[in-house]
Amino acid sequence: MIRERFEYLADAYGGDLRRWPEAEREAARALAATDLQAAALLREADGLDALLDAAPRVVASHALRERVIAAAAGAGLGRRRRGLGVMAWLSGAGWAAAACAGAVFGVVLTGQMTADIRADTVLYQASLTSADDTEVLGG
């Protein structure tokens, strides 16, 4: 394991190697045992873990929760709508339309992307000269 990977994992998972991906743990232990900078990174991550663990947990009050739900309901979120079957059908039709549009876009985009290549090929072939071309073109 290289130190950059070790540093990335320490930033992502902290100083406790038990939290790291299992496939990375042994290599991380070996690097921390032989590399002083890697060991220091692990200690720093462990210190940050301790600070985060000591931070107070913020819990939303029941009143705040109710206000958020009321605001969402006032905005039309979470209400059951009539005609759910129609909505499901329209949703399916929307997905089908999006799929067709994607296919058409792909065909058009491919044609546009290959137009330059075809033009280059024609120009290249036109630049080729031989004895036959001279005879035909009157050169």
Side-chain angles (χ1 to χ4, degrees), residues 68-92:
V68 169
I69 292 172
L77 301 175
R79 268 190 270 163
R80 296 195 182 260
R81 303 189 188 272
R82 287 182 226 121
L84 189 58
V86 172
M87 291 302 288
W89 184 84
L90 289 176
S91 175

Side-chain angles (χ1 to χ4, degrees), residues 47-90:
L48 180 59
D49 289 344
L51 288 174
L52 292 172
D53 289 339
R57 302 282 189 253
V58 178
V59 179
S61 69
H62 181 70
L64 176 60
R65 181 180 179 276
E66 292 301 317
R67 283 196 341 244
V68 169
I69 292 172
L77 301 175
R79 268 190 270 163
R80 296 195 182 260
R81 303 189 188 272
R82 287 182 226 121
L84 189 58
V86 172
M87 291 302 288
W89 184 84
L90 289 176

